[in-house]
Amino acid sequence: MKKNILVGQSGGPTAVINGSLYGVVAQAKEHKGQKIDHIYGMINGIEGFLKDRYMDMEADMTSEEFEALKTTPGAYLGSCRFKLPADLSDPVYARLFDKFNRLNIGYVLYIGGNDSMDTVSKLSRCAKAHNSDIRIIGIPKTIDNDLVGTDHTPGFGSAARFVATSVREIGIDAAIYDTNSVTIVEIMGRHAGWLTGAAVLARKYKKDNPVYIYLPEENFSTEQFIEDIRRALETRKNIVVCVSEGIHDAQGRFICEYESAAGVDNFGHKMLTGCGKYLENLIRIRLGIKVRSVELNVSQRCSSVRQSQTDLKEAIEAGRFSVDAAVSGASGMMTAFTRTGDAPYAMECTLVDVNDVCNKEKKVPLEWITDRGTDVSDAFIQYVLPLIQGSVTLPEDNGIPVFAYRRPV
Amino acid sequence: MKKNILVGQSGGPTAVINGSLYGVVAQAKEHKGQKIDHIYGMINGIEGFLKDRYMDMEADMTSEEFEALKTTPGAYLGSCRFKLPADLSDPVYARLFDKFNRLNIGYVLYIGGNDSMDTVSKLSRCAKAHNSDIRIIGIPKTIDNDLVGTDHTPGFGSAARFVATSVREIGIDAAIYDTNSVTIVEIMGRHAGWLTGAAVLARKYKKDNPVYIYLPEENFSTEQFIEDIRRALETRKNIVVCVSEGIHDAQGRFICEYESAAGVDNFGHKMLTGCGKYLENLIRIRLGIKVRSVELNVSQRCSSVRQSQTDLKEAIEAGRFSVDAAVSGASGMMTAFTRTGDAPYAMECTLVDVNDVCNKEKKVPLEWITDRGTDVSDAFIQYVLPLIQGSVTLPEDNGIPVFAYRRPV
């Protein structure tokens, strides 16, 4: 019997999350006439679907839009940050499954990170409890690369490529004057330092910029930081250092919170800035040196122009594999990547129990963090290097990339 | 008689300033054996040259490095911010011309912006006063596009392409949640709003994001800004606005200085942030809404990945044309661009008196600024659109662009 498939996106965007959506829709089309009839997309994830917001991924999109979707950053379907209740007897589940049944949904695919896998876990456990044959599969995505059970996550490779490229360019920019300077680059990653660590790839040779890389897996000391900078300035003029947004002291207090406590605006409100800006001011005051901070900000997760071909290919593959898995009867699983080769790099999709994934965080192993928490090891480099390979050619119009936009439905 | 040529770079970097350097060296090679013998590069501009820091652009570079130079951002030769004294009888001039003569320099080419053209003006007037036959030519570059006497400047097109692309991506990123949000993008340009105005190209349709664009050519009122945001939120959920770093109030006080007065750190020092961060905090407090600010920062001027093919081609052409001009006897001139066609766009290099260029600033014409200072006109769009056209393929190694690095000489 033919069933309909429903796909949604959740959590923060990445450069290739729509690649996975493209893969889902493309593979679902392959099953049309046999296992799958309509292909629906939740708008703004499970939260929007609860308000009956969804679209038909074929009828509501032109073929040009579908092609542009592949390389469009962000989340085409819109996203949400919505936590389903822990109590599976909560009426929201009855409402949801009623909606699934009315739309004759047989397969629910949810693209997201940690929290989204929590949704997949709850929905699949709920389906099991109610003897529903709706199959629920999670498709991983996050620039943070912090999902357990998978070698890496789609979205990370492109973000890492963006970070490595930007930090190399910033190093070039910082070196043009014949005077001492410090440049602090703040990189996303609240609890896991994968993306910040990828800045190591900006180096052309050992001990090139960035001279230091600080991850949130280790405690951060501002006094040690000042000392690190002072020492580096003894042998070189222009220093670039990378810090994760989530660096914190030994007491677990985020460095970005130091600033808030100090900076109060005209209205007496705390001003919110990042740790990079805090450290910039600290170095200026304590070392009296030219210093600048650069927050790579949302471009890390939404820049299309540094998409990694490997990452995009794998994101699409994860989407396709997940459809096949659901159609074959899997449920309560997340599609994961297993690295099957290093030279040359090779990867295979597998399935892992989503309950072993959700609400956990994969951090950078401490043995990959070196030099008193100021660098990463060769093992880290070998891990990340294959993930940033290859360029993607973007369709352009008038000098600007063409993206797919969802029309109001 | 064969003379040597000396080329230098000065002021802030751009994505294509090395394109002009490439053009100078490539064209100088064409004149080898006839008018030109050695090709020297000042290291860190006129300031470094005064310390006898220079390199041989042929002997000290491999052919691979020379090819990589073309698409390397930053300033390969290093830069300086050095103002020559107004008094042409100052001994520094005698020192400089003595060094020129000892190196048998016949041609000095200086790539830079406003301040660098001041150097070209002084050197050429000094040469004239001393009956020296050394020819001095300025080659324009600046992402700010604020040089008079030329239709536009090399470097601006690539920066504009970076800004337009980034703002379009940020608009995609900002739209993923079904909640109200404001994103403030801060763009470089202290006194001229050319680069901020280029954000208009991010729009896919009239009134798309960015909904407002604020240039420094007009006075900025924080109260009017809050009112503008409030009004926009009545009809749309996700707003992106672009502000120039140099926006200021009617009294001429920079908005970024508002913050400094309010934010004082633990040591009692003023904290330096930008106007975007100030406005972010202002909107959060006054409208109680989700708001984020993004400072595009140095990537605007050093990003290689959004180089405009048109811009790079013109930067190289400016370098080549300047060599020919110098060899033909011109001095005290700056190479300028004249737009000779609109559809299709066409450009020709010309020469303008450098004394008519230096120490002036070309701002966006007020008639191109519309909607009470919150937008730019179609004329602005027609002006900037041809300058961002075409992609440049960068040489890559291991997933990261390959750049030319100057070896110590």
Side-chain angles (χ1 to χ4, degrees):
Chain A
M1 200 182 89
K2 285 195 289 184
K3 290 277 191 177
N4 298 327
I5 186 168
L6 177 66
V7 56
Q9 296 173 312
S10 172
T14 82
V16 301
I17 181 172
N18 290 323
S20 289
L21 178 61
Y22 175 92
V24 166
V25 176
Q27 194 66 11
K29 285 179 182 172
E30 300 279 327
H31 289 281
K32 282 205 60 146
Q34 298 153 46
K35 299 272 194 163
I36 291 176
D37 194 7
H38 291 290
I39 308 166
Y40 296 121
M42 307 177 190
I43 291 175
N44 292 113
I46 205 80
E47 188 176 24
F49 184 72
L50 273 166
K51 298 175 194 160
D52 294 316
R53 299 184 63 221
Y54 62 91
M55 66 180 281
D56 186 311
M57 298 301 292
E58 293 175 291
D60 298 333
M61 274 187 103
T62 66
S63 57
E64 291 76 23
E65 283 167 341
F66 185 60
E67 267 312 299
L69 178 65
K70 198 163 26 175
T71 49
T72 297
Y76 175 83
L77 289 172
S79 186
C80 68
R81 293 200 183 275
F82 184 76
K83 204 172 174 72
L84 283 169
D87 178 5
L88 295 182
S89 64
D90 189 284
V92 73
Y93 290 101
R95 277 177 59 210
L96 261 177
F97 277 82
D98 182 53
K99 287 177 194 297
F100 290 157
N101 291 329
R102 281 202 227 179
L103 274 175
N104 192 31
I105 301 297
Y107 316 100
V108 176
L109 273 58
Y110 213 48
I111 311 169
N114 265 316
D115 294 338
S116 314
M117 293 311 138
D118 179 73
T119 298
V120 172
S121 162
K122 285 168 178 163
L123 288 181
S124 59
R125 283 186 282 129
C126 193
K128 201 171 181 183
H130 291 83
N131 289 316
S132 162
D133 60 356
I134 299 176
R135 285 111 185 218
I136 326 266
I137 297 283
I139 304 174
K141 74 84 212 153
T142 165
I143 63 164
D144 293 330
N145 198 42
D146 60 350
L147 287 183
V148 302
T150 181
D151 180 78
H152 59 279
T153 57
F156 171 61
S158 295
R161 186 169 149 98
F162 177 87
V163 164
T165 303
S166 298
V167 172
R168 179 170 283 190
E169 290 169 340
I170 289 166
I172 289 261
D173 187 89
I176 69 161
Y177 294 115
D178 192 30
T179 46
N180 280 325
S181 73
V182 176
T183 304
I184 300 162
V185 184
E186 181 186 327
I187 297 168
M188 282 181 169
R190 197 82 170 161
H191 303 293
W194 296 104
L195 194 53
T196 305
V200 71
L201 302 179
R203 288 188 195 140
K204 305 159 297 296
Y205 50 87
K206 203 96 179 161
K207 291 294 162 198
D208 183 24
N209 275 320
V211 290
Y212 301 124
I213 299 171
Y214 301 91
L215 309 191
E217 281 81 356
E218 295 273 12
N219 294 330
F220 185 90
S221 150
T222 51
E223 288 306 317
Q224 184 60 51
F225 178 71
I226 292 168
E227 199 42 47
D228 290 344
I229 298 288
R230 204 194 304 269
R231 188 175 324 107
L233 285 169
E234 287 171 5
T235 56
R236 66 193 77 207
K237 281 198 165 153
N238 309 108
I239 291 172
V240 177
V241 301
C242 294
V243 296
S244 168
E245 62 173 335
I247 50 169
H248 54 81
D249 62 24
Q251 285 71 48
R253 187 164 169 229
F254 287 119
I255 304 305
C256 61
E257 291 174 352
Y258 285 19
E259 172 94 328
S260 310
V264 176
D265 78 344
N266 291 323
F267 304 89
H269 296 88
K270 283 182 182 177
M271 293 186 307
L272 303 174
T273 68
C275 65
K277 184 57 76 177
Y278 176 81
L279 294 173
E280 172 194 323
N281 281 291
L282 185 72
I283 292 293
R284 182 178 297 116
I285 292 159
R286 294 285 295 276
L287 298 185
I289 196 171
K290 184 179 159 193
V291 56
R292 176 191 288 273
S293 65
V294 180
E295 192 182 345
L296 292 186
N297 218 311
V298 293
S299 295
Q300 289 161 90
R301 67 183 190 201
C302 71
S303 171
S304 62
V305 299
R306 291 307 287 162
Q307 280 178 16
S308 143
Q309 199 179 61
T310 301
D311 188 30
L312 179 58
K313 186 174 147 283
E314 293 182 346
I316 296 171
E317 207 169 325
R320 288 186 178 272
F321 180 87
S322 301
V323 172
D324 287 348
V327 164
S328 304
S331 190
M333 309 293 273
M334 182 185 83
T335 292
F337 292 162
T338 302
R339 197 178 294 224
T340 54
D342 279 318
Y345 165 79
M347 187 281 293
E348 268 178 18
C349 288
T350 52
L351 289 174
V352 292
D353 187 332
V354 75
N355 297 299
D356 295 336
V357 175
C358 61
N359 305 315
K360 292 177 184 167
E361 271 181 334
K362 186 176 74 177
K363 300 190 175 187
V364 176
L366 291 181
E367 62 267 28
W368 284 7
I369 304 175
T370 60
D371 294 353
R372 298 171 300 102
T374 66
D375 209 344
V376 294
S377 69
D378 284 340
F380 184 99
I381 295 173
Q382 295 315 311
Y383 166 81
V384 71
L385 201 54
L387 312 181
I388 70 159
Q389 299 305 310
S391 297
V392 173
T393 303
L394 299 171
E396 289 207 352
D397 183 31
N398 261 331
I400 311 283
V402 173
F403 298 137
Y405 293 91
R406 196 180 69 243
R407 287 168 295 166
V409 286
Chain B
M1 199 181 88
K2 285 195 288 183
K3 290 278 191 174
N4 299 328
I5 186 169
L6 178 66
V7 58
Q9 296 173 311
S10 172
T14 81
V16 301
I17 182 172
N18 290 324
S20 289
L21 177 61
Y22 176 92
V24 165
V25 175
Q27 193 66 11
K29 286 178 182 174
E30 301 279 324
H31 290 281
K32 283 206 60 150
Q34 295 153 46
K35 299 273 194 158
I36 291 175
D37 194 6
H38 292 289
I39 308 166
Y40 296 122
M42 308 176 189
I43 291 174
N44 291 114
I46 205 79
E47 189 176 24
F49 184 74
L50 274 165
K51 298 173 194 161
D52 294 317
R53 300 184 62 221
Y54 61 91
M55 64 180 281
D56 187 311
M57 299 300 293
E58 293 174 293
D60 298 332
M61 273 187 105
T62 66
S63 58
E64 290 75 23
E65 285 167 340
F66 185 59
E67 268 313 299
L69 177 65
K70 198 166 21 177
T71 50
T72 297
Y76 175 83
L77 288 172
S79 185
C80 68
R81 294 200 182 275
F82 184 77
K83 204 170 173 72
L84 284 168
D87 178 5
L88 296 182
S89 65
D90 188 285
V92 74
Y93 291 101
R95 278 177 57 213
L96 261 177
F97 278 81
D98 181 51
K99 288 179 194 294
F100 291 156
N101 290 329
R102 282 203 227 179
L103 275 176
N104 193 31
I105 302 296
Y107 317 100
V108 176
L109 272 58
Y110 213 48
I111 311 170
N114 264 316
D115 292 339
S116 313
M117 293 312 138
D118 178 76
T119 298
V120 173
S121 162
K122 285 167 177 163
L123 289 181
S124 59
R125 283 184 282 130
C126 192
K128 200 170 179 183
H130 292 84
N131 287 319
S132 163
D133 60 357
I134 298 176
R135 285 112 186 218
I136 327 268
I137 295 284
I139 303 174
K141 76 82 214 155
T142 165
I143 63 163
D144 293 331
N145 197 41
D146 61 350
L147 286 182
V148 302
T150 182
D151 179 77
H152 58 279
T153 57
F156 171 61
S158 296
R161 186 169 148 97
F162 177 87
V163 164
T165 302
S166 299
V167 172
R168 177 170 284 191
E169 291 169 339
I170 289 166
I172 289 260
D173 187 87
I176 69 158
Y177 295 116
D178 192 30
T179 46
N180 279 325
S181 73
V182 176
T183 305
I184 300 162
V185 184
E186 180 183 328
I187 297 168
M188 281 180 168
R190 198 80 172 163
H191 303 293
W194 295 104
L195 194 54
T196 305
V200 72
L201 302 180
R203 288 189 194 140
K204 305 158 297 296
Y205 50 86
K206 202 97 179 162
K207 291 295 162 198
D208 182 26
N209 274 321
V211 291
Y212 302 123
I213 298 171
Y214 301 91
L215 309 189
E217 281 80 357
E218 295 272 9
N219 294 331
F220 184 89
S221 152
T222 52
E223 289 306 317
Q224 183 60 51
F225 178 70
I226 293 168
E227 199 42 46
D228 290 344
I229 297 289
R230 204 193 303 269
R231 188 173 323 105
L233 284 170
E234 288 170 6
T235 56
R236 67 192 77 209
K237 283 199 163 149
N238 310 108
I239 290 172
V240 177
V241 302
C242 294
V243 297
S244 167
E245 62 174 335
I247 49 168
H248 54 80
D249 62 24
Q251 285 71 48
R253 188 165 168 228
F254 287 118
I255 304 304
C256 61
E257 291 174 352
Y258 285 20
E259 174 95 328
S260 311
V264 177
D265 79 343
N266 291 323
F267 305 89
H269 297 89
K270 283 183 183 178
M271 292 187 306
L272 302 174
T273 67
C275 64
K277 185 55 78 178
Y278 176 81
L279 294 174
E280 172 194 323
N281 281 291
L282 186 71
I283 291 294
R284 182 177 296 117
I285 292 158
R286 293 286 294 276
L287 298 186
I289 196 170
K290 185 179 159 194
V291 56
R292 177 191 286 274
S293 65
V294 180
E295 191 181 345
L296 292 186
N297 218 312
V298 293
S299 295
Q300 290 161 90
R301 67 184 190 200
C302 71
S303 171
S304 62
V305 298
R306 291 307 288 163
Q307 281 179 15
S308 143
Q309 197 178 61
T310 302
D311 188 29
L312 179 58
K313 188 175 147 280
E314 291 181 349
I316 295 170
E317 206 170 324
R320 287 187 178 272
F321 180 88
S322 301
V323 171
D324 287 348
V327 165
S328 304
S331 190
M333 309 293 273
M334 180 187 83
T335 291
F337 292 161
T338 303
R339 197 178 293 224
T340 54
D342 279 316
Y345 165 78
M347 189 281 294
E348 269 179 16
C349 288
T350 52
L351 289 173
V352 292
D353 188 331
V354 75
N355 297 297
D356 296 335
V357 175
C358 61
N359 306 314
K360 291 177 185 168
E361 271 180 332
K362 186 176 73 175
K363 300 191 176 187
V364 177
L366 291 182
E367 62 269 26
W368 284 7
I369 304 175
T370 59
D371 294 353
R372 299 171 300 104
T374 66
D375 208 344
V376 295
S377 69
D378 285 341
F380 183 99
I381 295 173
Q382 295 315 310
Y383 166 81
V384 71
L385 200 53
L387 312 180
I388 69 158
Q389 300 303 311
S391 296
V392 174
T393 302
L394 299 171
E396 289 205 353
D397 183 30
N398 261 331
I400 311 283
V402 173
F403 299 137
Y405 294 89
R406 197 180 68 242
R407 287 169 294 167
V409 288

